Amino acid sequence: MLPTRVARRRFEQLPPERQEEILRVAAEEFARAGFQRTSYNQLLERLQLGKSSAYYYFDDKRDLFLTALQRCYEKFFAVVRTVERPEGAEGFWAFVERSTELGYEFMLEDPTAAALMMCLQREKALLDELGSTELLGVIEAFYADMIREGQRLGTVRADMPFDLVVALVRDASMTFDRWFITARSASTSPSPREAARWYTEVVQRLCRSA
Amino acid sequence: MLPTRVARRRFEQLPPERQEEILRVAAEEFARAGFQRTSYNQLLERLQLGKSSAYYYFDDKRDLFLTALQRCYEKFFAVVRTVERPEGAEGFWAFVERSTELGYEFMLEDPTAAALMMCLQREKALLDELGSTELLGVIEAFYADMIREGQRLGTVRADMPFDLVVALVRDASMTFDRWFITARSASTSPSPREAARWYTEVVQRLCRSA
DNA sequence: ATTTGGCTTGTACCGTCGGTACAACCGTAG
DNA sequence: CTACGGTTGTACCGACGGTACAAGCCAAAT
């Protein structure tokens, strides 16, 4: 990041509509079959982007994937961040529930982004093989901050290793995300409101102070 | 399985010590770097096993991986299955805690098997791409049976979609497994007993009837 | 008007991957 | 001695992600 990542700088000087097209198509392809199973060669062909150009604008396959993914997360957080947090413990849990509900609504509105975000979770083991993803760090920090705040308010238990609580909540959130989209494509279609209610109840069970 | 999987039958007619060596070395290699990142070519070379022989005794890379993995799960269940279940709700939870404790002890005694079993979880998305793993099905059924039994005893909540409860418990178990081995290699070293206590408490919070 | 130089791209290539084709090997049974 | 079926060595395949390198292009300088 010191010289502002040379490849990234070049990409950002492409015509904005071309940037948009590249990231949109990449997101579609990666969301369809995941990172590993998507052929970079075929993706570049569909993008009408020569190989030398590809490696001129992106470091490698992983870089393009993460760039497209990051844009999805930006859209996601732009929606979720609109929730304001009331004070006190009840406000904390209301905030959790409302944010989650907006998150599920986002997943319905932008299924490609949702699928791509699930990819990161499914294949994170393969992705952070070379250097921390920094995106995973941001997500981890999101949950850690949340739990720290809940502990500060005295409504989240502090009698268990902090990392364990964070991991449990993070993974339960992933479980719900997966369940929400698979249940959606099946017959049972929970509304974002219902799903968020269940999620909040489960997280409260998981880690609310006794 | 109809004609008893021809490759498997041939493998089982190898000298037992050779069978053992192949599965042991394969387990070590796969446990080290995971399924995807382990080169089949290099693994076969280390095994002094020619390529044509390899495809004579195993269907493909995935088959060898799953065969080694299955042996690990057999060892695991052989340990855990020694626990007998007392009657009633308290007996149910005592059974959960004791089985979990034995599971953690097993992970300390056979870290290779533990690492390999974690691989399956981390890379399951890549592995069941072609045909159900059947091993994943067994594991899923293990959790489902457990929860059904808890519901029959009235001690596990039944007011939430069954699949969701199963997914939550299964994923929380994975979270604990990961935490247990990473915390072990770090400074904080929870004993199997402590970890199993925490696990049981968390699962009770998650899904015990109100 | 032409040459220069830097950003951009086409083309051919690399090593490795998992997997296959096929002929040679080898012990045994005829 | 031959024929045969189970086993193995060897050469090969297409696809993968990634690299080398020279040509193309366009603006600025001479």
Side-chain angles (χ1 to χ4, degrees), chain A residues 12-38:
Chain A
E12 281 161 359
Q13 276 159 16
L14 246 41
E17 65 274 16
R18 180 60 170 152
Q19 289 184 39
E20 184 55 32
E21 186 197 7
I22 288 175
L23 295 185
R24 184 178 48 77
V25 173
E28 285 170 15
E29 294 291 299
F30 282 126
R32 171 135 41 103
F35 172 77
Q36 178 70 31
R37 285 164 54 89
T38 295

Side-chain angles (χ1 to χ4, degrees), chain A residues 81-125:
Chain A
R81 284 248 178 74
T82 63
V83 182
E84 58 179 288
R85 177 148 53 82
E87 290 183 359
E90 312 88 51
F92 175 80
W93 291 111
F95 172 75
V96 168
E97 183 165 343
R98 180 67 183 141
S99 303
T100 305
E101 184 183 347
L102 287 180
Y104 291 147
E105 280 172 6
F106 173 81
M107 289 170 76
L108 294 184
E109 282 161 20
D110 194 341
T112 298
L116 198 60
M117 295 191 299
M118 306 287 297
C119 273
L120 174 64
Q121 303 299 338
R122 282 203 333 245
E123 305 187 49
K124 69 170 88 169

Side-chain angles (χ1 to χ4, degrees), chain A residues 10 13 50-53 56-57:
Chain A
R10 297 195 276 228
Q13 276 159 16
K51 216 160 193 189
S52 56
S53 304
Y56 185 68
Y57 295 117

Side-chain angles (χ1 to χ4, degrees), chain A residues 156-201:
Chain A
V156 169
R157 64 189 301 185
D159 61 332
M160 207 180 239
F162 181 73
D163 290 345
L164 177 58
V165 179
V166 173
L168 281 167
V169 172
R170 186 233 297 133
D171 291 352
S173 306
M174 279 178 41
T175 306
F176 262 91
D177 289 347
R178 270 198 305 271
W179 170 76
F180 182 72
I181 62 175
T182 60
R184 265 283 157 177
S185 55
S187 56
T188 55
S189 312
S191 68
R193 182 160 208 85
E194 287 172 316
R197 183 81 275 282
W198 268 328
Y199 171 78
T200 306
E201 198 232 338

Side-chain angles (χ1 to χ4, degrees), chain B residues 122-141:
Chain B
R122 281 203 331 245
E123 305 186 49
K124 68 170 92 169
L126 301 165
L127 282 163
D128 63 359
E129 59 199 15
L130 196 149
S132 170
T133 324
E134 131 181 75
L135 188 51
L136 281 170
V138 169
I139 295 168
E140 191 79 4

Side-chain angles (χ1 to χ4, degrees), chain B residues 89-101:
Chain B
E90 313 89 51
F92 175 80
W93 291 112
F95 172 75
V96 168
E97 183 165 344
R98 180 67 184 143
S99 303
T100 304
E101 183 183 348

